[in-house]
Amino acid sequence: MMTLPRRLAAAFAFAASTAFLFAPHAAAAKDDPLSREAMYEDPDAPVSGNPKGDVTIVAFLDYNCPYCKKSVGDLKRIVKDDGKIRLIYKEWPILGNASKLASRLALAANYQGKYEAAHDALMRAVNHSSTKAQLVKALGNAGIDTPRLEADLAAHGKDIDRALARNDAQGDIVGFQGAPTYLIGPLVSSTLDYAGFKRAVADARTRQAAQ
């Protein structure tokens, strides 16, 4: 594990080098799954907002994280209000078994086009003692087809686990300190409220215009 100064240095180095990814014709993901391009163009990562937006937010989140639960409403609000933001969800279950279980279920729900409904339900439902039965029930109440959810989890479990492992490796190699972590333009930010997201998006656009 990196020491704190080394991890912070890695994060700042990454932040300083990501502005080019927000150009209109950003490069497609490279073969290296830990490259910066892969983080922004991951075919397994659910995408929301405007798929052709001029600013991309990459959100590394954990369902057990109270700060994630607190900021996710403002994140969804800025994406909706702005209308030109592409939001990439990176499941990052770093806070225990319930977090990993929830992330696996969320990604399984993505196979039926219900990721965001699952994401929102799990943000409300998950705690450290959550069981699979409890979470599946919460997802069913949110409109998720639970028999299909179970079938997709069985059929795609290995792909889901690979996606989670890749997200974890990306967070580690960049040096993220904890959840939530948001990549917005060249910036690496932690917990933000609506005003903070708005400032960060405006700053990303200003930097892009200056290139």
Side-chain angles (χ1 to χ4, degrees):
M1 180 181 294
M2 289 186 181
T3 63
L4 180 60
R6 286 181 62 201
R7 290 176 70 88
L8 286 174
F12 287 128
F14 175 84
S17 64
T18 55
F20 77 94
L21 292 172
F22 293 87
H25 302 291
K30 304 300 183 184
D31 292 336
D32 179 5
L34 300 184
S35 69
R36 294 187 296 271
E37 293 89 344
M39 200 174 297
Y40 286 85
E41 302 295 337
D42 184 347
D44 295 321
V47 178
S48 182
N50 185 339
K52 297 182 179 179
D54 62 342
V55 169
T56 297
I57 297 177
V58 184
F60 282 74
L61 303 170
D62 184 300
Y63 293 109
N64 258 315
C65 166
Y67 301 104
C68 298
K69 293 176 186 288
K70 181 177 180 180
S71 65
V72 72
D74 286 329
L75 171 63
K76 292 173 70 69
R77 180 183 164 201
I78 191 64
V79 170
K80 180 179 179 181
D81 290 352
D82 184 278
K84 296 180 180 179
I85 296 172
R86 176 176 172 247
L87 172 60
I88 299 175
Y89 289 103
K90 300 289 278 185
E91 294 285 334
W92 199 32
I94 59 175
L95 297 176
N97 291 333
S99 296
K100 185 173 182 180
L101 173 60
S103 286
R104 295 185 84 244
L105 290 170
L107 291 179
N110 195 39
Y111 286 94
Q112 59 179 279
K114 294 290 185 66
Y115 173 80
E116 279 205 284
H119 175 85
D120 293 347
L122 292 168
M123 276 294 175
R124 294 189 297 268
V126 174
N127 58 60
H128 287 289
S129 62
S130 295
T131 65
K132 181 179 178 181
Q134 291 170 334
L135 297 182
V136 170
K137 181 179 180 180
L139 291 175
N141 291 339
I144 309 301
D145 181 337
T146 55
R148 178 173 175 183
L149 180 75
E150 295 281 13
D152 284 331
L153 190 59
H156 304 288
K158 291 183 179 179
D159 292 331
I160 289 170
D161 288 339
R162 279 193 290 268
L164 293 177
R166 184 167 61 249
N167 291 352
D168 188 58
Q170 289 171 345
D172 185 65
I173 200 169
V174 173
F176 294 160
Q177 296 301 297
T181 294
Y182 302 106
L183 307 184
I184 308 174
L187 303 177
V188 179
S189 300
S190 56
T191 304
L192 294 171
D193 58 10
Y194 183 83
F197 281 120
K198 193 169 184 177
R199 286 193 298 270
V201 169
D203 183 68
R205 289 195 172 112
T206 297
R207 290 171 183 262
Q208 286 175 204
Q211 290 178 0

